[in-house]
Amino acid sequence: MKTREKIIYEALSLFSVHGYDAVTIREIASKVGIKESSIYNHFKNKQDILNKIIEETLKRYYSTLENVKVPESEDDNVSELYDNITDDTFLDICTKIFLFYLKDDYISKLRRLLTIEQYGNEEIGETFRYVFIDRVLETQRQVLQKFIDSGRFIQGDAYTMALHFYSPVFLLLYKYDNCPENEEQAIMELKMHVSQYNAIYRRNSIEREERNL
Amino acid sequence: MKTREKIIYEALSLFSVHGYDAVTIREIASKVGIKESSIYNHFKNKQDILNKIIEETLKRYYSTLENVKVPESEDDNVSELYDNITDDTFLDICTKIFLFYLKDDYISKLRRLLTIEQYGNEEIGETFRYVFIDRVLETQRQVLQKFIDSGRFIQGDAYTMALHFYSPVFLLLYKYDNCPENEEQAIMELKMHVSQYNAIYRRNSIEREERNL
DNA sequence: AACTTATACTAACAATTGTTAGTAAAAGCA
DNA sequence: TGCTTTTACTAACAATTGTTAGTATAAGTT
């Protein structure tokens, strides 16, 4: 890892725990293994480090999303894919995504950083709400709307259904944020949630066939 | 308001936005209208202010809860009370509680303060998770268990049902934290959630009578 | 090899930090 | 009233802050 990347990483690590103001340039430099003045060869000032951290970690996050994304050329192949997976496979997929958000070094630290700084900086507050609340809800709403339209899910308001799916995930992230030793408990609670959610909202194939007659 | 209370209030207000480290003794003193050295007539040091803020605001919060609490002498009078209120009344009660958490000056600032400081201070992290996650979930789990046992709610895991009820509230608090102008939207989303929740989990009286035969 | 650019260093700066000592006025109490 | 305690003030402190100037070395380019 080059010096610039190291600075980004170490600053992200420190900011995400103590917050922007509580971390000094000297602490960051020390973690990187250089003197504080050398930081200024890579960044304009302290604020610039924070800006670049958010910018670049978000870019990293979005490109990660692109890689796991289902190709969206066909209008409802997401729904078709969903037909072909069992409840257990779906649980495993949800668990993997949850653990990614909970434990991925960069994304979990970014979430904590934005969480910490959301009130002190309006732009960061907007970013936090967009990335970790509104954007996720909107994406899920769109998918759920397709599931409702194709009869895979029961009738209802797609947004509220997205809220019902994502909110427990959101809460569990904060509940188990600082407790890596309780990871198994976290996964268990998540699976209980997803199972119950499926039982409530998902139409089984028999129901769907009856409906299609 | 006496000087000591003023310090508590102004420090809470500042800490809850910028975080503990970013706020200076001089800023707090300035808001109160005194010089920085006078602070030390009321608190041992800066850390002491933070400790007392959390301690006393929590006390304030718990005593508020006591006042709205249903008397828990009889083992299932919560359930009986729940029978006598309509869905609309229940919606209004939920809305009021939600708005209390979202807008009460002290409790909303305390939540933001604990949110901001949860990662930098292990004890605060524990307090945050206990007060705003675990404690709420446990309380609701107990109530829901009674509702399940008495047939007012459908069978299922009470903890997961509590998670399904509280998580959207938790998320909405953060979604609308900094947006007082969107309060109506927040209430609407909350009501959609609670309505849907009732439709899913609550047995109507007809179902209940059938079950009791 | 000569030259340019990037990077790291030492040293220093002005400003700000939490905190203390000493003092005078105000409040509470006998 | 006189006495004690509380509270607010001024002034100062040592430490730490973000940042800059100047310099030497390493890396990259021609």
Side-chain angles (χ1 to χ4, degrees):
Chain A
M1 204 159 35
K2 298 197 77 177
T3 301
R4 208 196 101 102
E5 293 173 71
K6 275 192 205 169
I7 296 172
I8 291 274
Y9 177 74
E10 298 294 347
L12 171 60
S13 301
L14 288 167
F15 287 161
S16 67
V17 173
H18 306 99
Y20 175 77
D21 284 281
V23 174
T24 70
I25 296 277
R26 280 166 181 83
E27 284 179 272
I28 300 170
S30 165
K31 285 274 181 188
V32 175
I34 57 177
K35 289 290 169 185
E36 68 268 18
S37 55
S38 303
I39 298 268
Y40 293 86
N41 285 322
H42 302 275
F43 298 93
K44 211 181 86 196
N45 52 29
K46 193 186 173 186
Q47 182 66 47
D48 188 38
I49 304 179
L50 180 62
N51 295 340
K52 295 289 158 53
I53 282 179
I54 295 176
E55 188 182 309
E56 292 171 27
T57 311
L58 273 182
K59 202 179 289 177
R60 189 195 183 93
Y61 167 61
Y62 285 135
S63 78
T64 307
L65 287 192
E66 282 297 317
N67 291 340
V68 287
K69 202 177 173 183
V70 191
E72 55 183 331
S73 50
E74 299 295 323
D75 42 328
D76 91 341
N77 55 7
V78 180
S79 304
E80 282 168 18
L81 264 170
Y82 192 58
D83 279 346
N84 298 330
I85 57 173
T86 62
D87 277 10
D88 280 350
T89 325
F90 185 66
L91 268 186
D92 286 342
I93 293 171
C94 288
T95 304
K96 268 178 194 150
I97 294 173
F98 173 71
L99 284 179
F100 164 71
Y101 278 94
L102 184 65
K103 296 182 64 181
D104 178 86
D105 210 15
Y106 282 85
I107 191 66
S108 68
K109 283 173 179 170
L110 177 70
R111 179 172 49 77
R112 292 175 205 180
L113 169 57
L114 298 185
T115 299
I116 287 181
E117 300 295 330
Q118 65 179 312
Y119 305 115
N121 180 315
E122 210 168 313
E123 200 185 329
I124 294 186
E126 278 174 31
T127 305
F128 169 72
R129 290 189 293 275
Y130 175 70
V131 174
F132 292 105
I133 298 181
D134 295 334
R135 190 179 190 281
V136 183
L137 285 175
E138 174 57 17
T139 307
Q140 294 188 357
R141 190 194 63 76
Q142 287 174 13
V143 175
L144 287 169
Q145 189 60 61
K146 285 187 188 170
F147 287 175
I148 296 167
D149 294 343
S150 59
R152 287 170 182 85
F153 268 54
I154 63 170
Q155 291 290 325
D157 177 62
Y159 178 80
T160 306
M161 283 160 75
L163 197 65
H164 279 187
F165 184 81
Y166 179 60
S167 295
V169 178
F170 182 79
L171 182 141
L172 289 175
L173 283 177
Y174 287 97
K175 178 169 179 184
Y176 292 102
D177 227 345
N178 261 347
C179 322
E181 71 275 14
N182 292 6
E183 189 185 311
E184 281 189 33
Q185 171 76 15
I187 295 175
M188 209 199 67
E189 287 189 34
L190 178 83
K191 287 191 174 177
M192 302 261 300
H193 154 54
V194 177
S195 301
Q196 181 110 264
Y197 186 87
N198 266 339
I200 292 165
Y201 286 115
R202 200 179 177 184
R203 274 212 175 84
N204 60 42
S205 48
I206 297 153
E207 283 173 330
R208 230 182 306 141
E209 273 166 33
E210 281 171 2
R211 202 167 160 276
N212 285 341
L213 293 183
Chain B
M1 203 158 33
K2 300 197 73 177
T3 302
R4 208 195 102 100
E5 293 173 72
K6 274 193 206 168
I7 296 172
I8 291 272
Y9 178 75
E10 298 295 347
L12 171 60
S13 301
L14 287 167
F15 287 161
S16 68
V17 173
H18 305 101
Y20 175 76
D21 285 281
V23 174
T24 70
I25 296 276
R26 280 166 181 83
E27 284 179 272
I28 300 170
S30 165
K31 285 274 181 189
V32 174
I34 57 177
K35 289 290 170 185
E36 68 268 19
S37 55
S38 303
I39 299 269
Y40 293 85
N41 285 323
H42 303 275
F43 299 93
K44 210 181 87 195
N45 51 31
K46 193 186 174 186
Q47 182 65 47
D48 188 38
I49 304 178
L50 180 62
N51 295 341
K52 294 290 158 51
I53 283 180
I54 296 176
E55 190 183 306
E56 291 171 27
T57 310
L58 272 182
K59 203 179 287 177
R60 189 195 184 94
Y61 165 61
Y62 286 135
S63 78
T64 308
L65 287 192
E66 282 297 316
N67 290 340
V68 287
K69 202 178 173 182
V70 191
E72 52 183 335
S73 49
E74 299 295 322
D75 40 330
D76 92 338
N77 56 5
V78 180
S79 302
E80 280 167 18
L81 263 170
Y82 192 57
D83 278 346
N84 297 331
I85 58 174
T86 63
D87 278 9
D88 281 350
T89 324
F90 185 66
L91 268 186
D92 286 341
I93 293 171
C94 289
T95 305
K96 269 177 195 152
I97 295 173
F98 174 70
L99 284 179
F100 164 71
Y101 279 94
L102 185 65
K103 296 181 66 183
D104 177 84
D105 210 14
Y106 282 84
I107 190 67
S108 69
K109 282 171 180 170
L110 178 70
R111 180 172 48 79
R112 290 173 206 181
L113 169 57
L114 298 185
T115 300
I116 288 181
E117 300 294 332
Q118 65 178 313
Y119 304 116
N121 181 316
E122 210 168 311
E123 202 186 328
I124 295 187
E126 277 174 32
T127 305
F128 169 73
R129 289 190 293 277
Y130 175 71
V131 174
F132 292 105
I133 298 182
D134 296 333
R135 192 181 189 280
V136 184
L137 285 176
E138 174 56 19
T139 307
Q140 294 190 355
R141 188 194 64 76
Q142 288 173 13
V143 174
L144 288 170
Q145 188 60 61
K146 286 188 188 169
F147 287 175
I148 295 167
D149 293 343
S150 61
R152 287 168 180 87
F153 269 54
I154 63 171
Q155 290 291 323
D157 178 64
Y159 178 79
T160 306
M161 283 159 76
L163 197 65
H164 279 188
F165 184 80
Y166 179 59
S167 296
V169 179
F170 182 80
L171 182 140
L172 288 175
L173 283 176
Y174 287 95
K175 179 170 178 183
Y176 292 103
D177 227 344
N178 260 348
C179 321
E181 71 274 14
N182 291 6
E183 188 185 312
E184 281 190 33
Q185 171 77 15
I187 295 175
M188 207 200 69
E189 288 189 33
L190 179 82
K191 287 190 172 174
M192 302 262 300
H193 154 56
V194 177
S195 301
Q196 181 109 264
Y197 186 88
N198 266 340
I200 292 166
Y201 286 114
R202 200 179 178 184
R203 276 211 173 86
N204 59 42
S205 48
I206 297 153
E207 283 173 327
R208 232 181 305 142
E209 276 165 31
E210 282 173 0
R211 201 167 159 277
N212 285 339
L213 295 180

